[in-house]
Amino acid sequence: MADETTDGALLELKLIGDIAGSFRVARYQRGYRWGKLEVERLLNDIWESKGTPYSLQPVVVKRDGEAAWELVDGQQRLTTLFLIFVFMQRERLQSSGAPYSITYDTRPDSEAYLQQLDADRADSNIDFFHLHGAYECIRAWFDTHGARRQYVANKFYGYLFESVRVIWYEAPKGLDSTTLFTRLNVGRIPLTDAELLKALLLSRSRGGAGATDRTHEIAAQWDSIERDLQHPDVWAFVADDAAADSPTRITLLLDTLAGGPRGRARPRFHTFDVLREKVEQSKPEAVWNQVVQLHALVLGWYENRDHYHKIGYLVAIGQRFSDLVALASGKTKSEFGAVLDGRIRETLDLTPSGVTALSYESDTQKCARLLLLMNVETVRRMKDSTERYSFRIHRRQAWSLEHIHAQHAESLTKAEQWKEWLRLHRAALADFRSVDEARRDELLRRIDDVGDKIDRQVFQELARDVAATFTLADGSAAAAAHSVHSVSNLALLASGHNSALSNAVFEVKRRRILELDRQGAYIPICTRQVFLKYYTDADAQQVHFWSTQDREAYLVAILSADGGVGAYLKPEVPLS
């Protein structure tokens, strides 16, 4: 049954076999242009649906008289389906052809060629070329089935009349066709699940005898929800990877209510199909009220400082929004908070000794998750502050694990990288007063003498000596426990810095962090605190070095249950 919206539009699911009448392609449209890829995709999609309900892209029309339509969008699909019908009839695989016809305002010869598909005339013009090419592609597809061709044709024909449908959208009579066509085709902006569901909800909410017309109310609420979700901070903390690039933000809520697979595994128009069925089985108000409630849930999470940070962290590491909604079902705020703690603990999957044993070389993802959580928790626990961890900036920026103090520069392999490394370290060395002056001057002279004549061996020898100058000698057992790749020597920094800086010693990075901070750049709070020696007791600080004491203090802060991640660590398993 068709549903008429308040502005005169009609929306329905229409089986391919039920499409009838004459379709006129107006002068503002180009001709048929599908190639082998598109034709085969359509054939395969229909065949692989195996008789289950399957929706093709929308067909947008305007009434053009009795049993006549202006075909605004969908010319390529309807023409290809027409050619499939023609092929099956010509090859005597089926007795009847297409139940509809196609005409053209400016290409009357194309209408005749659709019936003839003469190979000798295929090169006469570009339209004939593509129409004939598509027809031959259809022939080749059926021929690949060999002796089963008749069987395949019978099943295929049945699918067109029993399970494969288009989303039929009859546009309002007063809407300019050229404007609508441009909107749909410039940049290929398709009708989305959200737009189709909105049209359906509005059409079913008009009221009638004894019923209240809710169309204006729902339309206003829809726009308000979309506006709220457009807020960059609200969107960033709940939008999982599958929803991040959605053209409309309300789609996240609709997809969640519809359920089903996400990403590429999600069938086309799955959300619309599922929610349409719910609308038909109950009332449109019931479905819409679920959307409103889910929107309220998101805003409630956003306003709750603890929920905001915990949910934002989980979404940032790949948890699905829909899974978190399921976890919240039937829970009080405190119960849900405990569930979130448990989920974070599961995803972190570390004991205190496991944290200590983490290595940049073998546990990159775990190190990154741990340090992200450390930053999020540090901000969350600032109870007297209005500051929040910015998942908006986190999502917008690419992040990398960086060594706080890099003792080696072996990964640099190009002369440009060697020169940049020496330039950065020369500047720090020139201001360095915590080393023997003669040794410092000798290193400065060696750097200046390099000039353009530099090779790998010269650089590695010089880099080793410079790095040693900025490294405190410590042969203690405590120092041995903190390798250059341990988490006590790692921090989150924005990617994009050059490799020379990534391989720099602590003092060079400290100077760069301070410079970025003065420029107003976003630096994760724990990274800033590392380079400001926040975690080290004042009487133990040596500002130019990242010492064993600094690493131990940083590790203690990470393991702390008050500001670190200690609350989310699993207990140690006692030795038997």
Side-chain angles (χ1 to χ4, degrees):
M1 183 182 72
D3 300 305
E4 187 170 0
T5 66
T6 54
D7 55 7
L10 292 170
L11 179 70
E12 67 177 323
L13 292 175
K14 188 186 286 286
L15 289 166
I16 301 301
D18 290 341
I19 297 175
S22 174
F23 291 85
R24 178 176 62 85
V25 178
R27 65 180 65 249
Y28 56 78
Q29 295 198 43
R30 66 174 183 170
Y32 182 76
R33 292 296 182 271
W34 268 14
K36 183 174 183 289
L37 177 67
E38 294 86 359
V39 174
E40 286 187 347
R41 182 184 295 148
L42 178 64
L43 287 161
N44 289 330
D45 285 348
I46 293 173
W47 179 244
E48 291 168 6
S49 70
K50 299 185 184 303
T52 59
Y54 183 76
S55 297
L56 300 177
Q57 290 278 1
V59 169
V60 182
V61 299
K62 286 181 65 178
R63 189 166 289 280
D64 205 26
E66 187 66 27
W69 312 94
E70 179 186 346
L71 183 55
V72 179
D73 191 53
Q75 176 199 168
Q76 310 297 320
R77 285 181 295 283
L78 277 193
T79 303
T80 306
L81 289 165
F82 183 92
L83 291 170
I84 293 171
F85 277 117
V86 170
F87 173 80
M88 288 192 289
Q89 184 183 35
R90 279 190 171 189
E91 296 292 309
R92 299 184 178 179
L93 297 171
Q94 299 297 324
S95 58
S96 21
Y100 58 87
S101 62
I102 301 175
T103 65
Y104 302 86
D105 277 356
T106 58
R107 296 183 295 279
D109 290 346
S110 294
E111 180 182 351
Y113 190 77
L114 266 176
Q115 301 295 333
Q116 301 160 0
L117 295 166
D118 181 5
D120 293 337
R121 299 175 59 210
D123 293 330
S124 298
N125 64 53
I126 190 66
D127 289 352
F128 292 5
F129 175 81
H130 284 287
L131 289 170
H132 187 264
Y135 185 80
E136 290 304 311
C137 181
I138 294 165
R139 179 194 302 281
W141 187 87
F142 276 96
D143 285 350
T144 59
H145 296 281
R148 298 176 69 248
R149 194 170 80 141
Q150 183 64 60
Y151 168 81
V152 169
N154 290 342
K155 299 291 284 186
F156 197 100
Y157 191 82
Y159 295 163
L160 297 180
F161 281 84
E162 296 166 7
S163 59
V164 179
R165 62 269 179 98
V166 295
I167 297 171
W168 177 270
Y169 188 86
E170 184 179 342
K173 296 177 181 178
L175 186 61
D176 179 70
S177 299
T178 306
T179 301
L180 179 57
F181 175 80
T182 302
R183 180 245 184 254
L184 291 169
N185 287 275
V186 174
R188 291 306 306 160
I189 305 173
L191 284 171
T192 63
D193 286 277
E195 290 175 303
L196 293 167
L197 183 68
K198 183 179 182 181
L200 177 63
L201 287 171
L202 295 179
S203 71
R204 292 294 185 89
S205 303
R206 294 187 63 193
T212 304
D213 187 335
R214 293 192 62 196
T215 53
H216 295 295
E217 176 190 353
I218 291 175
Q221 287 178 318
W222 184 289
D223 291 343
S224 177
I225 291 172
E226 182 65 27
R227 247 189 335 269
D228 287 343
L229 295 178
Q230 288 287 342
H231 189 293
D233 290 325
V234 173
W235 185 243
F237 99 100
V238 292
D240 52 38
D241 290 340
D245 297 325
S246 176
T248 55
R249 303 290 169 82
I250 200 171
T251 298
L252 175 66
L253 309 186
L254 304 180
D255 287 350
T256 299
L257 291 176
R262 301 297 301 275
R264 293 183 178 180
R266 193 174 185 85
R268 184 186 295 149
F269 300 115
H270 172 82
T271 294
F272 174 70
D273 286 344
V274 171
L275 296 184
R276 176 188 171 89
E277 187 173 340
K278 288 186 177 183
V279 168
E280 291 176 345
Q281 290 175 350
S282 58
K283 293 182 178 180
E285 306 90 73
V287 174
W288 178 242
N289 287 341
Q290 287 182 296
V291 178
V292 172
Q293 290 165 10
L294 192 51
H295 165 247
L297 181 68
V298 170
L299 293 189
W301 288 352
Y302 179 75
E303 295 299 331
N304 183 300
R305 184 178 182 84
D306 289 340
H307 289 176
Y308 167 83
H309 284 94
K310 293 174 183 180
I311 289 167
Y313 166 77
L314 287 169
V315 170
I317 65 169
Q319 296 288 293
R320 286 171 45 161
F321 170 76
S322 57
D323 291 341
L324 298 176
V325 171
L327 287 177
S329 179
K331 305 286 193 309
T332 63
K333 285 185 179 180
S334 59
E335 289 172 340
F336 182 48
V339 169
L340 289 174
D341 290 347
R343 179 56 66 92
I344 294 173
R345 192 172 296 111
E346 290 172 14
T347 58
L348 197 60
D349 192 26
L350 286 169
T351 62
S353 62
V355 172
T356 304
L358 287 175
S359 170
Y360 174 86
E361 293 180 303
S362 57
D363 307 302
T364 304
Q365 184 183 64
K366 281 200 170 185
C367 288
R369 286 187 175 187
L370 178 80
L371 294 178
L372 171 60
L373 182 58
M374 173 73 170
N375 279 277
V376 172
E377 279 294 290
T378 297
V379 177
R380 183 182 75 83
R381 290 176 178 272
M382 296 164 58
K383 296 299 184 183
D384 296 327
S385 172
T386 58
E387 181 182 353
R388 292 177 169 220
Y389 187 83
S390 179
F391 293 104
R392 171 175 53 86
I393 295 177
H394 180 86
R395 296 286 289 270
R396 190 177 63 199
Q397 179 66 267
W399 299 93
S400 64
L401 280 176
E402 293 283 349
H403 290 90
I404 297 168
H405 175 70
Q407 293 175 256
H408 307 286
E410 284 87 350
S411 63
L412 303 182
T413 59
K414 299 178 180 178
E416 293 80 7
Q417 295 173 332
W418 301 334
K419 292 175 184 177
E420 177 66 5
W421 192 95
L422 291 175
R423 185 189 68 79
L424 291 169
H425 287 72
R426 190 199 186 287
L429 192 61
D431 295 334
F432 199 30
R433 296 294 180 265
S434 299
V435 68
D436 178 75
E437 185 175 349
R439 175 176 172 77
R440 185 194 68 206
D441 291 345
E442 170 64 15
L443 286 172
L444 290 172
R445 182 192 61 75
R446 288 173 61 190
I447 293 173
D448 292 340
D449 287 348
V450 167
D452 292 330
K453 299 177 181 178
I454 188 170
D455 59 33
R456 184 178 184 84
Q457 182 177 350
V458 170
F459 170 73
Q460 291 295 349
E461 290 176 356
L462 187 49
R464 181 195 60 215
D465 293 343
V466 172
T469 304
F470 287 101
T471 303
L472 284 177
D474 189 343
S476 67
H482 296 278
S483 78
V484 70
H485 296 307
S486 70
V487 74
S488 61
N489 190 41
L490 298 175
L492 285 180
L493 280 174
S495 299
H497 297 309
N498 61 44
S499 54
L501 183 62
S502 296
N503 287 269
V505 299
F506 173 80
E507 173 61 10
V508 171
K509 287 185 176 176
R510 185 187 72 85
R511 291 160 62 99
R512 178 57 177 160
I513 291 295
L514 293 176
E515 179 185 350
L516 290 171
D517 198 42
R518 285 191 292 268
Q519 294 172 357
Y522 179 79
I523 301 166
I525 186 170
C526 296
T527 301
R528 184 191 300 115
Q529 291 178 349
V530 158
F531 287 96
L532 293 178
K533 295 296 187 86
Y534 175 89
Y535 300 110
T536 310
D537 291 339
D539 58 358
Q541 288 185 9
Q542 300 183 67
V543 69
H544 301 294
F545 301 98
W546 186 242
S547 67
T548 300
Q549 288 174 299
D550 294 320
R551 297 183 188 201
E552 288 184 326
Y554 182 37
L555 183 60
V556 168
I558 291 173
L559 295 172
S560 169
D562 183 18
V565 303
Y568 304 105
L569 297 178
K570 294 181 176 180
E572 300 285 0
V573 178
L575 296 175
S576 57

